[in-house]
Amino acid sequence: FHPKTGDCQNERLWFKTNIKYGQLLYEMNETPKLQQVLNDLHAFGGNNTNTTMSSAAAESASSTQSMEIYALQIQLFSRQRE
């Protein structure tokens, strides 16, 4: 990951790192930072086009990533309602 340009050669690594970072922010109760990470993850999900995978495998990976993003977002919303 290049911090100045935001370019990442390994999209899966970027995604997994940001999911873990989001979980850490959730545990630390850092809501504004977590919301920014979630926004970045949602933006990544729409632009994730991996041409080396078959369409079925790519769709499965995308679905799994969406599920992880939504799970983290649901945790955040649950905490905000308490």
Side-chain angles (χ1 to χ4, degrees):
F1 177 75
H2 192 275
K4 292 183 180 178
T5 63
D7 185 32
C8 181
Q9 297 298 322
N10 188 336
E11 293 177 351
R12 184 172 183 266
L13 176 63
W14 180 91
F15 178 82
K16 288 295 195 183
T17 301
N18 277 292
I19 284 290
K20 293 288 186 186
Y21 181 53
Q23 291 169 343
L24 177 66
L25 292 173
Y26 174 78
E27 291 173 10
M28 295 174 53
N29 205 17
E30 293 283 342
T31 302
K33 290 180 184 178
L34 177 54
Q35 288 175 331
Q36 181 59 44
V37 169
L38 285 168
N39 288 340
D40 292 344
L41 287 166
H42 278 295
F44 169 78
N47 296 330
N48 188 11
T49 56
N50 190 342
T51 57
T52 61
M53 298 168 86
S54 70
S55 63
E59 186 175 328
S60 176
S62 177
S63 296
T64 302
Q65 289 176 346
S66 294
M67 186 173 60
E68 290 182 61
I69 295 168
Y70 290 131
L72 187 56
Q73 195 167 22
I74 289 168
Q75 287 178 314
L76 175 62
F77 290 153
S78 295
R79 176 177 280 167
Q80 288 177 334
R81 293 197 85 198
E82 291 176 355

